[in-house]
């Protein structure tokens, strides 16, 4: 009898907990989770992330996919718009008055990597090498002694553009940054700070070692052998490197991680995981009277500057084109209203709590792997400095829609208050006056050559974006 009474009390308390507490759930345990859909979506994403390792490649891939689906450049109700092969906007025009705003998801396709310098090729100690300059926030030590592939374009003297992609295929050669052997690193490395262990000027890649075959006693025979190969294969001469954009990226493709295969290891989850989810969401979302826009941008990793970064004029160009396609003319006042009244998601990743590095997170407010799409109310550092900080009212609307549509989601803050921090595109979008909040997939090892994401979080990111277009 006593036991029964105790049990009913526990049940009552459980009910109270559910009613009054904040019940975050491991999304793998959700009742309505369609694991098959999670798996199918993840497999498609893994193919995408393996194929597209730069902003240019992603732009081209998205463009091709849209054209296959009947989207036209700058024309019609469903259209896409390009900005210099490094930004692409996907638009579905709705019936509603545009001055009330559009629904916008912005994410970035650029990823930390290593660029070739403009004068890269040299010979030293019987090896041909190329000089590099890294792009974005990398931990340099993570990029040495691993297989790198070379991606990008070279614009030749005659204006012809040559696309380069060497290292992804099994039969391709790769490129390689050597590191010092532990036997000899005592003075040169072992007592240095992390950022100084590998000097930026020592991130040079190995590109060859065979001298050009000739009887003449020439200098730099190995270097000229490489130039000879490049000329024969691509028509490239040394000066053409001045007009090239060549990036070194990890050669490996996406892999499933763990005995249960629940996680995805890949280069460039940040932020092509959100770019992919946003693209899938806008293509699959049911039609409403609202206008949907997905904007995929470049240069986020170096501050969103430049004419292909989120600070550029491209969003305005896109809005202008929407007016032209819908109303046949552009009313500047209405256009300003449209930007001001729009609702946006800054689709970007956050750092999930790492069991080995719990000390940098504040566990009550850190994102967890498998706990759904991560909403980040504010980013910034040193006391929310340089963050747009979304309004509670806007977050509340988002919360209601996500809960109602059974999207697994969590709130995540990037690390402890004084630990460090970072920013996203949100603040640049917010400067138009529109409501915006960060929402994306939480990662382990962000900015590493192989980052780690959860399949269920990827799926919830897609679901959240789709629900935003359809129901928000
Ligand atoms: Mn990012
Ligand atoms: Mn980043």
């Amino acid at each position: 009898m006593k036991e029964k009474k105790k049990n009913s009390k526990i049940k009552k308390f459980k009910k109270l907990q559910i009613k009054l507490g904040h019940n975050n759930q491991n999304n793998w345990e959700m009742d309505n989770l369609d694991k098959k859909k999670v798996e199918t979506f993840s497999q498609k994403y893994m193919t995408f992330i393996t194929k597209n390792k730069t902003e240019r490649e992603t732009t081209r891939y998205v463009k091709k996919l849209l054209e296959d689906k009947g989207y036209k450049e700058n024309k019609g109700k469903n259209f896409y718009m390009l900005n210099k092969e490094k930004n692409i906007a996907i638009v579905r025009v709705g019936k509603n008055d545009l001055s009330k705003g559009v629904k916008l998801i912005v994410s970035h396709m650029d990823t930390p990597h290593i660029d070739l310098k403009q004068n890269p090729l040299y010979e030293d100690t019987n090896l041909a090498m190329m000089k590099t300059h890294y792009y974005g926030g990398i931990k340099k030590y993570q990029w040495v002694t691993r297989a790198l592939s070379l991606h990008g374009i070279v614009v030749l003297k005659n204006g012809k553009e040559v696309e380069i992609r060497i290292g992804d295929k099994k039969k391709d050669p790769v490129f390689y940054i050597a590191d010092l052997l532990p036997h000899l690193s005592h003075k040169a490395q072992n007592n240095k700070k992390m950022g100084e262990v590998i000097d930026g000027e020592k991130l040079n890649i190995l590109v060859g070692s065979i001298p050009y075959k000739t009887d003449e006693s020439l200098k730099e025979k190995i270097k000229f052998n490489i130039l000879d190969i490049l000329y024969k294969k691509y028509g490239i001469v040394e000066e053409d490197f001045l007009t090239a954009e060549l990036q070194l990226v990890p050669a490996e493709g996406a892999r499933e991680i763990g005995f249960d295969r629940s996680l995805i290891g890949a280069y460039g989850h940040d932020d092509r995981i959100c770019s992919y989810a946003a693209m899938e969401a806008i293509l699959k979302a049911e039609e409403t009277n609202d206008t949907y826009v997905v904007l995929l941008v470049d240069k986020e990793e170096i501050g969103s500057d430049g004419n292909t970064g989120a600070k550029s004029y491209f969003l305005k160009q896109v809005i202008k084109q929407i007016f032209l396609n819908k109303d046949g003319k552009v009313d500047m006042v209405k256009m300003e209203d449209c930007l001001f009244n729009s609702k946006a998601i800054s689709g970007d990743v956050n750092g999930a709590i790492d069991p080995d590095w719990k000390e940098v997170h504040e566990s009550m407010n850190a994102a967890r792997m498998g706990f759904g799409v991560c909403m980040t109310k504010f980013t910034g550092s040193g006391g929310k400095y340089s963050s747009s900080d979304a309004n509670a009212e806007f977050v509340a609307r988002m919360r209601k829609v996500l809960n109602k549509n059974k999207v697994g989601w969590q709130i995540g803050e990037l690390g402890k208050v004084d630990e460090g921090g970072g920013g996203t595109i949100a603040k640049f979008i917010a400067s138009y006056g529109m409501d915006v909040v960060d929402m994306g997939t939480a990662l382990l090892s962000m900015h590493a050559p192989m980052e780690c994401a959860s399949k269920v979080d990827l799926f919830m990111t897609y679901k959240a974006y789709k629900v935003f277009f359809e129901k928000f």
Side-chain angles (χ1 to χ4, degrees):
M1 198 63 198
K2 251 189 178 173
E3 196 63 18
K4 219 178 171 184
K5 220 176 171 182
K6 205 177 154 194
N7 273 343
S8 81
K9 251 194 181 164
I10 290 171
K11 266 188 191 158
K12 222 175 145 187
F13 187 63
K14 248 256 128 76
K15 272 188 190 166
L16 190 80
Q17 275 186 318
I18 291 168
K19 190 179 164 193
L20 301 183
H22 174 209
N23 304 292
N24 250 7
Q25 192 187 16
N26 186 328
N27 284 195
W28 290 110
E29 293 180 322
M30 277 171 94
D31 293 334
N32 62 334
L33 184 72
D34 188 339
K35 288 198 181 118
K36 246 190 183 158
K37 271 193 185 166
V38 173
E39 193 51 40
T40 316
F41 194 85
S42 299
Q43 293 303 332
K44 276 174 69 186
Y45 169 66
M46 284 173 69
T47 308
F48 163 86
I49 196 80
T50 299
K51 263 189 195 162
N52 301 291
K53 293 183 176 175
T54 69
E55 58 283 354
R56 272 181 201 277
E57 286 165 2
T58 314
T59 303
R60 283 181 191 174
Y61 173 89
V62 175
K63 180 186 163 205
K64 168 95 183 29
L65 189 108
L66 291 170
E67 279 174 351
D68 291 346
K69 292 194 181 296
Y71 282 68
K72 297 223 157 56
E73 188 172 2
N74 302 345
K75 277 189 208 127
K77 194 168 157 278
N78 295 340
F79 71 96
Y80 70 86
M81 201 166 164
L82 290 172
N83 179 19
K84 297 165 189 68
E85 298 260 307
K86 291 177 178 180
N87 294 167
I88 188 162
I90 313 169
V91 182
R92 289 177 58 183
V93 182
K95 285 187 185 127
N96 279 348
D97 180 6
L98 285 172
S99 58
K100 288 187 180 133
V102 300
K103 283 177 181 166
L104 169 69
I105 302 177
V106 191
S107 74
H108 66 95
M109 304 176 286
D110 64 316
T111 301
H113 62 262
I114 299 177
D115 282 323
L116 284 195
K117 286 196 187 194
Q118 298 324 114
N119 277 317
L121 184 61
Y122 66 103
E123 180 180 327
D124 192 351
T125 328
N126 309 105
L127 291 168
M129 312 278 289
M130 280 186 177
K131 289 183 176 287
T132 69
H133 193 142
Y134 60 91
Y135 171 100
I138 66 165
K139 287 172 150 180
K140 286 168 279 180
Y141 73 84
Q142 293 176 336
W143 291 76
V144 298
T145 66
R146 61 181 307 144
L148 299 170
S149 60
L150 189 67
H151 292 222
I153 60 149
V154 182
V155 184
L156 307 182
K157 200 157 61 174
N158 60 10
K160 199 182 145 207
E161 197 179 296
V162 179
E163 191 173 357
I164 304 282
R165 189 169 180 144
I166 308 164
D168 287 8
K169 291 188 190 135
K170 272 243 156 71
K171 63 175 177 28
D172 282 353
V174 294
F175 303 94
Y176 182 84
I177 302 166
D179 192 12
L180 203 47
L181 60 169
H183 317 67
L184 297 180
S185 68
H186 293 243
K187 283 187 203 155
Q189 282 183 322
N190 292 11
N191 294 322
K192 283 192 174 164
K193 285 185 189 160
M194 186 191 79
E196 294 158 6
V197 168
I198 307 284
D199 191 83
E201 292 295 348
K202 287 189 196 290
L203 283 176
N204 302 315
I205 53 166
L206 275 170
V207 299
S209 62
I210 302 176
Y212 186 78
K213 208 177 165 208
T214 171
D215 296 336
E216 299 163 80
S217 65
L218 288 175
K219 272 186 181 172
E220 300 186 309
K221 277 189 201 171
I222 297 167
K223 172 184 160 175
F224 276 90
N225 194 42
I226 298 299
L227 280 172
D228 188 49
I229 293 169
L230 288 173
Y231 186 69
K232 281 179 180 151
K233 189 138 196 220
Y234 303 102
I236 295 171
V237 299
E238 196 172 15
E239 199 183 283
D240 292 332
F241 282 112
L242 300 177
T243 52
E245 282 180 357
L246 292 167
Q247 314 184 1
L248 289 151
V249 294
E252 197 176 358
R255 302 294 299 264
E256 289 173 312
I257 296 177
F259 290 116
D260 62 5
R261 298 169 178 262
S262 59
L263 306 162
I264 305 169
Y267 166 66
H269 283 317
D270 176 11
D271 186 28
R272 290 193 280 275
I273 198 165
C274 297
S275 301
Y276 183 77
M279 177 188 80
E280 284 292 310
I282 194 169
L283 292 176
K284 302 275 159 61
E286 279 169 34
E287 194 176 298
T288 65
N289 289 331
D290 288 329
T291 293
Y292 309 155
V293 182
V294 164
L295 192 68
L296 304 179
V297 296
D298 175 35
K299 300 280 182 279
E300 195 276 344
E301 296 295 356
I302 55 168
S304 295
D305 293 305
N307 59 7
T308 54
K311 285 188 209 166
S312 88
Y313 216 74
F314 185 48
L315 176 58
K316 277 195 167 177
Q317 289 290 97
V318 173
I319 300 291
K320 200 169 89 185
Q321 194 63 49
I322 298 172
F323 270 91
L324 280 173
N325 291 14
K326 185 169 184 287
D327 302 340
K329 60 178 183 334
V330 186
D331 179 327
M332 288 313 282
V333 176
K334 273 193 172 181
M335 195 171 130
E336 295 287 335
D337 288 346
C338 177
L339 284 161
F340 195 86
N341 294 324
S342 289
K343 307 284 174 227
I345 290 175
S346 159
D348 209 344
V349 300
N350 198 328
I353 194 161
D354 178 340
D356 277 331
W357 296 100
K358 280 189 206 138
E359 62 269 32
V360 303
H361 296 279
E362 185 272 284
S363 68
M364 274 179 68
N365 288 284
R368 279 159 200 269
M369 298 291 279
F371 277 63
V373 63
C374 175
M375 200 191 301
T376 306
K377 189 177 179 295
F378 52 85
T379 58
S381 58
K384 302 193 181 181
Y385 185 80
S386 211
S387 157
S388 55
D389 203 356
N391 281 317
E393 294 90 331
F394 184 62
V395 175
R397 243 182 100 179
M398 204 66 92
R399 166 191 174 193
K400 198 173 160 189
V401 172
L402 295 175
N403 285 346
K404 208 174 159 195
N405 292 283
K406 304 201 162 37
V407 179
W409 69 283
Q410 56 182 328
I411 279 272
E413 195 174 300
L414 188 61
K416 277 183 178 168
V417 176
D418 289 331
E419 201 67 51
T424 64
I425 285 161
K427 63 175 178 176
F428 309 118
I429 301 303
S431 66
Y432 290 107
M434 68 178 84
D435 275 317
V436 55
V437 69
D438 272 295
M439 199 146 68
T441 318
L443 304 180
L444 294 175
S445 321
M446 197 197 292
H447 286 201
M450 183 181 267
E451 303 174 314
C452 177
S454 157
K455 286 182 178 174
V456 76
D457 295 340
L458 158 68
F459 185 69
M460 289 303 170
T461 305
Y462 157 69
K463 240 184 126 177
Y465 293 171
K466 188 164 169 277
V467 152
F468 168 69
F469 284 135
E470 292 170 347
K471 316 274 167 124
F472 188 84

